[in-house]
Amino acid sequence: MNEPNQTKEVKMVSTLYIVPTPIGNLDDITLRALQILKQVELIVAEDTRRTGLLLQHFAINNRMISLHVHNEQKKTDQLITQLKQGISIALVSDAGTPIINDPGYHLVKYCHQAGILVVPLPGPCAAMTALSASGIASDRFCYEGFLPAKRKSRQDVLHGLTKNSRTLIFYESPHRLLETLADMVAIWGAKRYVVLARELTKTWESIYGLPVGELLDWVKFDENRYRGEMVLVVEGYRVAKNSKPVISCDVMKTLALLQQSLPLKKAAGITAEIYGLKNNTLYKYILEQQVSADNVIK
């Protein structure tokens, strides 16, 4: 007869466990995650060196192999074969919840197709951590991951999200943060509220929100404000009653250049197309500004 409080080791057969790991503070790992990492036959890690440090910290000595963007397709078939043979595997990424902007999607997909049990564990995720502390509406949100590195592609994505009413969540790298914020100002206007969550759960954690034009100036003031791992949480598009469109300085500069050789209506139409504005929005805005100016003069 077993002792009343005796803990039984869980028998794991043909199971892929998705195991989140801390995004900074190692104390954020769960007891269940530690149990799984100790008991599986194999740990599949994005970077075995980084995961090795985590395992060493918790005195876990288990077999690991790497699974990253360059070998995922090749390794997936091998892992499916091993799972079919009855072993249990834990999938981890460098930090946070696996699959979210990290390798492993193909492995999970083919496990489902092969009838292999997939068991996800709840745990750390930078996007959700930032959203929860942002003070921005969280009832409807859209995770966009990293924006494209090339400016034209990045601007195209931002144009496509201009009228999205959901809260938007982005990851961004330190060397592209200023460019991304500047593009947001140019495309969305300087008043869109954005929260920059940096180095979450780590020593230099910072969560700071401002209208994006002011946030760009705040970040520029100190290079330490754009170091480390960052999440941008952006307020969704809101249309206030009787509100006027926000026209950025870049839009007005482009319009002025085109007006040198084109009629106002034609120049406004081309500028609106370049910046993703609605047809005639810019033209009507300029006419309203001219009427306002005439009334002031009178």
Side-chain angles (χ1 to χ4, degrees):
M1 184 173 179
N2 293 328
E3 294 295 328
N5 295 325
Q6 184 176 350
T7 300
K8 293 183 179 180
E9 183 170 314
V10 178
K11 180 66 175 177
M12 303 176 181
V13 179
S14 297
T15 304
L16 175 67
Y17 293 89
I18 302 174
V19 183
T21 54
I23 58 176
N25 192 322
L26 295 181
D27 289 339
D28 290 334
I29 199 163
T30 67
L31 294 175
R32 186 182 176 201
L34 291 174
Q35 179 192 40
I36 297 296
L37 291 174
K38 290 176 182 177
Q39 294 183 7
V40 292
E41 284 87 354
L42 178 65
I43 297 172
V44 176
E46 183 180 4
D47 185 335
T48 55
R49 293 167 300 180
R50 185 161 178 173
T51 300
L53 294 175
L54 175 71
L55 299 182
Q56 183 179 6
H57 180 82
F58 290 105
I60 297 173
N61 183 19
N62 211 334
R63 187 164 67 96
M64 284 191 293
I65 66 167
S66 64
L67 182 78
H68 46 72
V69 292
H70 302 295
N71 72 358
E72 183 174 358
Q73 292 279 8
K74 181 180 178 181
K75 287 285 184 72
T76 292
D77 289 341
Q78 299 173 12
L79 292 170
I80 292 293
T81 298
Q82 293 182 68
L83 284 161
K84 285 181 177 179
Q85 293 172 351
I87 76 166
S88 59
I89 292 177
L91 174 66
V92 301
S93 60
D94 284 350
T97 300
I99 317 297
I100 310 301
N101 234 89
D102 285 321
Y105 157 74
H106 293 287
L107 177 58
V108 173
K109 176 182 177 181
Y110 290 121
C111 278
H112 286 303
Q113 292 178 356
I116 295 167
L117 182 63
V118 176
V119 176
L121 276 63
C125 175
M128 296 300 97
T129 303
L131 177 63
S132 69
S134 67
I136 296 177
S138 59
D139 54 335
R140 296 176 67 244
F141 58 88
C142 178
Y143 170 72
E144 289 288 330
F146 284 94
L147 285 162
K150 293 184 178 180
R151 187 181 184 191
K152 177 63 168 59
S153 299
R154 181 171 62 245
Q155 290 179 337
D156 287 345
V157 172
L158 292 176
H159 277 303
L161 294 169
T162 297
K163 297 296 178 68
N164 196 316
S165 62
R166 295 172 294 180
T167 296
L168 303 174
I169 305 173
F170 302 93
Y171 288 163
E172 194 49 276
S173 60
H175 64 279
R176 285 202 301 268
L177 179 65
L178 295 179
E179 294 177 6
T180 292
L181 293 176
D183 284 341
M184 288 180 177
V185 172
I187 294 167
W188 295 341
K191 296 183 179 180
R192 184 74 70 94
Y193 190 76
V194 177
V195 170
L196 171 61
R198 188 177 65 84
E199 293 290 86
L200 290 171
T201 78
K202 300 176 185 176
T203 302
W204 304 110
E205 177 180 274
S206 170
I207 302 170
Y208 198 74
L210 284 171
V212 65
E214 297 178 37
L215 183 64
L216 176 58
D217 292 336
W218 180 81
V219 171
K220 284 180 178 179
F221 185 77
D222 184 351
E223 64 180 15
N224 288 316
R225 293 173 179 172
Y226 53 96
R227 288 182 174 175
E229 297 178 339
M230 290 173 288
V231 183
L232 293 171
V233 184
V234 182
E235 186 176 44
Y237 177 75
R238 299 287 183 269
V239 180
K241 291 183 178 180
N242 302 319
S243 65
K244 294 182 179 179
V246 177
I247 306 298
S248 70
C249 293
D250 285 348
V251 171
M252 298 305 293
K253 288 177 182 178
T254 301
L255 176 62
L257 289 172
L258 290 174
Q259 271 192 272
Q260 294 176 11
S261 56
L262 294 172
L264 173 59
K265 190 168 186 178
K266 182 69 172 177
I270 294 174
T271 304
E273 185 175 351
I274 292 172
Y275 288 94
L277 301 173
K278 284 186 177 180
N279 291 337
N280 294 325
T281 295
L282 182 58
Y283 181 63
K284 290 179 181 178
Y285 174 82
I286 298 301
L287 292 180
E288 290 173 0
Q289 295 296 107
Q290 290 176 349
V291 169
S292 298
D294 290 341
N295 290 336
V296 170
I297 293 172
K298 291 177 182 179

